[in-house]
Amino acid sequence: MTDDQPPMMADDASCDDAPGRDDASGHRHAMRVIEAVLFASPDPVPRARLAEYLPAGAPVDMLLQHLAADYAGRGIELVRRDDAWAFRTAPDLAAHLQARVIEPRRLGRAALEVLAIIAYHQPATRAEIEDIRGVALARGTLDLLVEAGFVRPRGRRQVVGRPLEWVTTPHFLDHFDLASLADLPGLDELKAAGLIGGARGIADYAAERDQPQLPLVLRSRGRLDGFTAGTDSGAAPDDGGKPG
């Protein structure tokens, strides 16, 4: 360095390096975006679709190669399927993995009604459920709810006959996205959502959906101020009409 040349300042050097740091930070962020999109998708995502989540001109191929390299050798690997990408378990771990397929079983109207009664009135006995609904409980309805993991017996009530008491399970809370039973919708919320007080019960709408919903419609008699499913025109016949 000669006397005629001014010394390089630290700020000048940091300015020269700034673009490189910005590019690296942008690439890391873009890789995280791709990773999140692939993780959330059950099917391989086409490259063109991934590019839609990134800024124009982003080096999609390079980012995918870097991400694949990061996951190489792990239990989960990034793999290419034609022009699409997906996360898959490592092939060498196949012997340690066992596929488990759960076939969803839709709950019928009576089962949805019983589930709602137990949820809002637990612990509830069979006699209490039948009293609220106004019809005998069909054989197997409680068994179906137990099989689905929504209810369980808590014990026996210390009265004549010592009937079983039924309560909901943690799986019930998880399935309906409830932190606790205190998060069950109240009367005002159900009215505001249009789920009670109309000509159709929520069980009617639940039958049209893939996921079961709590069937509640206000009726003028019974416990719980008469919460049940269906209309105000009277009790509907149970599944099969056979007493349990």
mmCIF file with all atom_site columns, all heavy atoms in Angstrom, residues 214-227:
data_model
loop_
_atom_site.group_PDB
_atom_site.id
_atom_site.type_symbol
_atom_site.label_atom_id
_atom_site.label_alt_id
_atom_site.label_comp_id
_atom_site.label_asym_id
_atom_site.label_entity_id
_atom_site.label_seq_id
_atom_site.pdbx_PDB_ins_code
_atom_site.Cartn_x
_atom_site.Cartn_y
_atom_site.Cartn_z
_atom_site.occupancy
_atom_site.B_iso_or_equiv
_atom_site.pdbx_formal_charge
_atom_site.auth_seq_id
_atom_site.auth_comp_id
_atom_site.auth_asym_id
_atom_site.auth_atom_id
_atom_site.pdbx_PDB_model_num
ATOM 1   N N   . LEU A 1 214 ? -70.197 -33.343 16.520 1.00 0.00 ? 214 LEU A N   1
ATOM 2   C CA  . LEU A 1 214 ? -71.031 -33.544 17.686 1.00 0.00 ? 214 LEU A CA  1
ATOM 3   C C   . LEU A 1 214 ? -72.470 -33.188 17.348 1.00 0.00 ? 214 LEU A C   1
ATOM 4   O O   . LEU A 1 214 ? -72.752 -32.063 16.959 1.00 0.00 ? 214 LEU A O   1
ATOM 5   C CB  . LEU A 1 214 ? -70.542 -32.657 18.836 1.00 0.00 ? 214 LEU A CB  1
ATOM 6   C CG  . LEU A 1 214 ? -69.193 -33.051 19.416 1.00 0.00 ? 214 LEU A CG  1
ATOM 7   C CD1 . LEU A 1 214 ? -68.865 -32.145 20.576 1.00 0.00 ? 214 LEU A CD1 1
ATOM 8   C CD2 . LEU A 1 214 ? -69.184 -34.497 19.860 1.00 0.00 ? 214 LEU A CD2 1
ATOM 9   N N   . PRO A 1 215 ? -73.411 -34.144 17.498 1.00 0.00 ? 215 PRO A N   1
ATOM 10  C CA  . PRO A 1 215 ? -74.794 -33.896 17.088 1.00 0.00 ? 215 PRO A CA  1
ATOM 11  C C   . PRO A 1 215 ? -75.604 -33.279 18.212 1.00 0.00 ? 215 PRO A C   1
ATOM 12  O O   . PRO A 1 215 ? -75.976 -33.945 19.162 1.00 0.00 ? 215 PRO A O   1
ATOM 13  C CB  . PRO A 1 215 ? -75.304 -35.303 16.774 1.00 0.00 ? 215 PRO A CB  1
ATOM 14  C CG  . PRO A 1 215 ? -74.524 -36.180 17.690 1.00 0.00 ? 215 PRO A CG  1
ATOM 15  C CD  . PRO A 1 215 ? -73.194 -35.519 17.920 1.00 0.00 ? 215 PRO A CD  1
ATOM 16  N N   . LEU A 1 216 ? -75.889 -31.999 18.136 1.00 0.00 ? 216 LEU A N   1
ATOM 17  C CA  . LEU A 1 216 ? -76.639 -31.340 19.190 1.00 0.00 ? 216 LEU A CA  1
ATOM 18  C C   . LEU A 1 216 ? -77.747 -30.486 18.611 1.00 0.00 ? 216 LEU A C   1
ATOM 19  O O   . LEU A 1 216 ? -77.506 -29.649 17.752 1.00 0.00 ? 216 LEU A O   1
ATOM 20  C CB  . LEU A 1 216 ? -75.716 -30.447 20.025 1.00 0.00 ? 216 LEU A CB  1
ATOM 21  C CG  . LEU A 1 216 ? -74.597 -31.191 20.752 1.00 0.00 ? 216 LEU A CG  1
ATOM 22  C CD1 . LEU A 1 216 ? -73.695 -30.200 21.433 1.00 0.00 ? 216 LEU A CD1 1
ATOM 23  C CD2 . LEU A 1 216 ? -75.168 -32.144 21.762 1.00 0.00 ? 216 LEU A CD2 1
ATOM 24  N N   . VAL A 1 217 ? -78.960 -30.704 19.070 1.00 0.00 ? 217 VAL A N   1
ATOM 25  C CA  . VAL A 1 217 ? -80.093 -29.851 18.748 1.00 0.00 ? 217 VAL A CA  1
ATOM 26  C C   . VAL A 1 217 ? -80.910 -29.692 20.015 1.00 0.00 ? 217 VAL A C   1
ATOM 27  O O   . VAL A 1 217 ? -81.059 -30.638 20.781 1.00 0.00 ? 217 VAL A O   1
ATOM 28  C CB  . VAL A 1 217 ? -80.954 -30.455 17.610 1.00 0.00 ? 217 VAL A CB  1
ATOM 29  C CG1 . VAL A 1 217 ? -82.322 -29.820 17.564 1.00 0.00 ? 217 VAL A CG1 1
ATOM 30  C CG2 . VAL A 1 217 ? -80.260 -30.237 16.283 1.00 0.00 ? 217 VAL A CG2 1
ATOM 31  N N   . LEU A 1 218 ? -81.427 -28.512 20.250 1.00 0.00 ? 218 LEU A N   1
ATOM 32  C CA  . LEU A 1 218 ? -82.141 -28.239 21.486 1.00 0.00 ? 218 LEU A CA  1
ATOM 33  C C   . LEU A 1 218 ? -83.534 -28.848 21.438 1.00 0.00 ? 218 LEU A C   1
ATOM 34  O O   . LEU A 1 218 ? -84.279 -28.650 20.495 1.00 0.00 ? 218 LEU A O   1
ATOM 35  C CB  . LEU A 1 218 ? -82.251 -26.730 21.695 1.00 0.00 ? 218 LEU A CB  1
ATOM 36  C CG  . LEU A 1 218 ? -82.772 -26.280 23.055 1.00 0.00 ? 218 LEU A CG  1
ATOM 37  C CD1 . LEU A 1 218 ? -81.843 -26.792 24.144 1.00 0.00 ? 218 LEU A CD1 1
ATOM 38  C CD2 . LEU A 1 218 ? -82.863 -24.774 23.104 1.00 0.00 ? 218 LEU A CD2 1
ATOM 39  N N   . ARG A 1 219 ? -83.870 -29.610 22.457 1.00 0.00 ? 219 ARG A N   1
ATOM 40  C CA  . ARG A 1 219 ? -85.200 -30.179 22.601 1.00 0.00 ? 219 ARG A CA  1
ATOM 41  C C   . ARG A 1 219 ? -85.727 -29.810 23.972 1.00 0.00 ? 219 ARG A C   1
ATOM 42  O O   . ARG A 1 219 ? -84.970 -29.600 24.893 1.00 0.00 ? 219 ARG A O   1
ATOM 43  C CB  . ARG A 1 219 ? -85.142 -31.700 22.417 1.00 0.00 ? 219 ARG A CB  1
ATOM 44  C CG  . ARG A 1 219 ? -86.503 -32.359 22.362 1.00 0.00 ? 219 ARG A CG  1
ATOM 45  C CD  . ARG A 1 219 ? -86.378 -33.847 22.125 1.00 0.00 ? 219 ARG A CD  1
ATOM 46  N NE  . ARG A 1 219 ? -85.957 -34.097 20.763 1.00 0.00 ? 219 ARG A NE  1
ATOM 47  C CZ  . ARG A 1 219 ? -85.618 -35.299 20.323 1.00 0.00 ? 219 ARG A CZ  1
ATOM 48  N NH1 . ARG A 1 219 ? -85.612 -36.314 21.137 1.00 0.00 ? 219 ARG A NH1 1
ATOM 49  N NH2 . ARG A 1 219 ? -85.254 -35.462 19.071 1.00 0.00 ? 219 ARG A NH2 1
ATOM 50  N N   . SER A 1 220 ? -87.008 -29.742 24.118 1.00 0.00 ? 220 SER A N   1
ATOM 51  C CA  . SER A 1 220 ? -87.597 -29.160 25.322 1.00 0.00 ? 220 SER A CA  1
ATOM 52  C C   . SER A 1 220 ? -87.635 -30.114 26.511 1.00 0.00 ? 220 SER A C   1
ATOM 53  O O   . SER A 1 220 ? -88.090 -29.737 27.562 1.00 0.00 ? 220 SER A O   1
ATOM 54  C CB  . SER A 1 220 ? -89.020 -28.687 25.019 1.00 0.00 ? 220 SER A CB  1
ATOM 55  O OG  . SER A 1 220 ? -89.811 -29.772 24.563 1.00 0.00 ? 220 SER A OG  1
ATOM 56  N N   . ARG A 1 221 ? -87.205 -31.348 26.348 1.00 0.00 ? 221 ARG A N   1
ATOM 57  C CA  . ARG A 1 221 ? -87.264 -32.258 27.478 1.00 0.00 ? 221 ARG A CA  1
ATOM 58  C C   . ARG A 1 221 ? -85.945 -32.996 27.625 1.00 0.00 ? 221 ARG A C   1
ATOM 59  O O   . ARG A 1 221 ? -85.101 -32.958 26.746 1.00 0.00 ? 221 ARG A O   1
ATOM 60  C CB  . ARG A 1 221 ? -88.394 -33.283 27.297 1.00 0.00 ? 221 ARG A CB  1
ATOM 61  C CG  . ARG A 1 221 ? -88.137 -34.267 26.179 1.00 0.00 ? 221 ARG A CG  1
ATOM 62  C CD  . ARG A 1 221 ? -89.292 -35.238 26.076 1.00 0.00 ? 221 ARG A CD  1
ATOM 63  N NE  . ARG A 1 221 ? -89.014 -36.285 25.106 1.00 0.00 ? 221 ARG A NE  1
ATOM 64  C CZ  . ARG A 1 221 ? -88.290 -37.353 25.368 1.00 0.00 ? 221 ARG A CZ  1
ATOM 65  N NH1 . ARG A 1 221 ? -87.751 -37.508 26.544 1.00 0.00 ? 221 ARG A NH1 1
ATOM 66  N NH2 . ARG A 1 221 ? -88.090 -38.279 24.439 1.00 0.00 ? 221 ARG A NH2 1
ATOM 67  N N   . GLY A 1 222 ? -85.805 -33.673 28.763 1.00 0.00 ? 222 GLY A N   1
ATOM 68  C CA  . GLY A 1 222 ? -84.605 -34.458 28.994 1.00 0.00 ? 222 GLY A CA  1
ATOM 69  C C   . GLY A 1 222 ? -83.568 -33.667 29.766 1.00 0.00 ? 222 GLY A C   1
ATOM 70  O O   . GLY A 1 222 ? -83.677 -32.467 29.985 1.00 0.00 ? 222 GLY A O   1
ATOM 71  N N   . ARG A 1 223 ? -82.516 -34.339 30.161 1.00 0.00 ? 223 ARG A N   1
ATOM 72  C CA  . ARG A 1 223 ? -81.435 -33.699 30.903 1.00 0.00 ? 223 ARG A CA  1
ATOM 73  C C   . ARG A 1 223 ? -80.587 -32.880 29.957 1.00 0.00 ? 223 ARG A C   1
ATOM 74  O O   . ARG A 1 223 ? -80.753 -32.916 28.749 1.00 0.00 ? 223 ARG A O   1
ATOM 75  C CB  . ARG A 1 223 ? -80.615 -34.782 31.595 1.00 0.00 ? 223 ARG A CB  1
ATOM 76  C CG  . ARG A 1 223 ? -81.489 -35.671 32.494 1.00 0.00 ? 223 ARG A CG  1
ATOM 77  C CD  . ARG A 1 223 ? -80.706 -36.787 33.092 1.00 0.00 ? 223 ARG A CD  1
ATOM 78  N NE  . ARG A 1 223 ? -79.785 -36.282 34.116 1.00 0.00 ? 223 ARG A NE  1
ATOM 79  C CZ  . ARG A 1 223 ? -79.122 -37.067 34.950 1.00 0.00 ? 223 ARG A CZ  1
ATOM 80  N NH1 . ARG A 1 223 ? -79.282 -38.354 34.879 1.00 0.00 ? 223 ARG A NH1 1
ATOM 81  N NH2 . ARG A 1 223 ? -78.302 -36.560 35.825 1.00 0.00 ? 223 ARG A NH2 1
ATOM 82  N N   . LEU A 1 224 ? -79.649 -32.124 30.517 1.00 0.00 ? 224 LEU A N   1
ATOM 83  C CA  . LEU A 1 224 ? -78.807 -31.218 29.729 1.00 0.00 ? 224 LEU A CA  1
ATOM 84  C C   . LEU A 1 224 ? -79.663 -30.189 28.992 1.00 0.00 ? 224 LEU A C   1
ATOM 85  O O   . LEU A 1 224 ? -79.308 -29.750 27.903 1.00 0.00 ? 224 LEU A O   1
ATOM 86  C CB  . LEU A 1 224 ? -78.002 -31.990 28.662 1.00 0.00 ? 224 LEU A CB  1
ATOM 87  C CG  . LEU A 1 224 ? -76.925 -32.925 29.152 1.00 0.00 ? 224 LEU A CG  1
ATOM 88  C CD1 . LEU A 1 224 ? -76.337 -33.665 27.972 1.00 0.00 ? 224 LEU A CD1 1
ATOM 89  C CD2 . LEU A 1 224 ? -75.842 -32.147 29.845 1.00 0.00 ? 224 LEU A CD2 1
ATOM 90  N N   . ASP A 1 225 ? -80.820 -29.816 29.541 1.00 0.00 ? 225 ASP A N   1
ATOM 91  C CA  . ASP A 1 225 ? -81.758 -28.945 28.842 1.00 0.00 ? 225 ASP A CA  1
ATOM 92  C C   . ASP A 1 225 ? -82.190 -29.567 27.528 1.00 0.00 ? 225 ASP A C   1
ATOM 93  O O   . ASP A 1 225 ? -82.520 -28.874 26.577 1.00 0.00 ? 225 ASP A O   1
ATOM 94  C CB  . ASP A 1 225 ? -81.150 -27.556 28.577 1.00 0.00 ? 225 ASP A CB  1
ATOM 95  C CG  . ASP A 1 225 ? -80.933 -26.802 29.884 1.00 0.00 ? 225 ASP A CG  1
ATOM 96  O OD1 . ASP A 1 225 ? -81.717 -27.040 30.827 1.00 0.00 ? 225 ASP A OD1 1
ATOM 97  O OD2 . ASP A 1 225 ? -80.004 -25.998 29.941 1.00 0.00 ? 225 ASP A OD2 1
ATOM 98  N N   . GLY A 1 226 ? -82.120 -30.880 27.438 1.00 0.00 ? 226 GLY A N   1
ATOM 99  C CA  . GLY A 1 226 ? -82.629 -31.573 26.263 1.00 0.00 ? 226 GLY A CA  1
ATOM 100 C C   . GLY A 1 226 ? -81.726 -31.561 25.067 1.00 0.00 ? 226 GLY A C   1
ATOM 101 O O   . GLY A 1 226 ? -82.203 -31.565 23.941 1.00 0.00 ? 226 GLY A O   1
ATOM 102 N N   . PHE A 1 227 ? -80.412 -31.510 25.239 1.00 0.00 ? 227 PHE A N   1
ATOM 103 C CA  . PHE A 1 227 ? -79.522 -31.572 24.081 1.00 0.00 ? 227 PHE A CA  1
ATOM 104 C C   . PHE A 1 227 ? -79.613 -32.956 23.453 1.00 0.00 ? 227 PHE A C   1
ATOM 105 O O   . PHE A 1 227 ? -79.411 -33.961 24.103 1.00 0.00 ? 227 PHE A O   1
ATOM 106 C CB  . PHE A 1 227 ? -78.069 -31.314 24.480 1.00 0.00 ? 227 PHE A CB  1
ATOM 107 C CG  . PHE A 1 227 ? -77.762 -29.866 24.616 1.00 0.00 ? 227 PHE A CG  1
ATOM 108 C CD1 . PHE A 1 227 ? -77.307 -29.348 25.809 1.00 0.00 ? 227 PHE A CD1 1
ATOM 109 C CD2 . PHE A 1 227 ? -77.939 -29.011 23.548 1.00 0.00 ? 227 PHE A CD2 1
ATOM 110 C CE1 . PHE A 1 227 ? -77.014 -28.014 25.924 1.00 0.00 ? 227 PHE A CE1 1
ATOM 111 C CE2 . PHE A 1 227 ? -77.640 -27.678 23.665 1.00 0.00 ? 227 PHE A CE2 1
ATOM 112 C CZ  . PHE A 1 227 ? -77.179 -27.170 24.855 1.00 0.00 ? 227 PHE A CZ  1
#
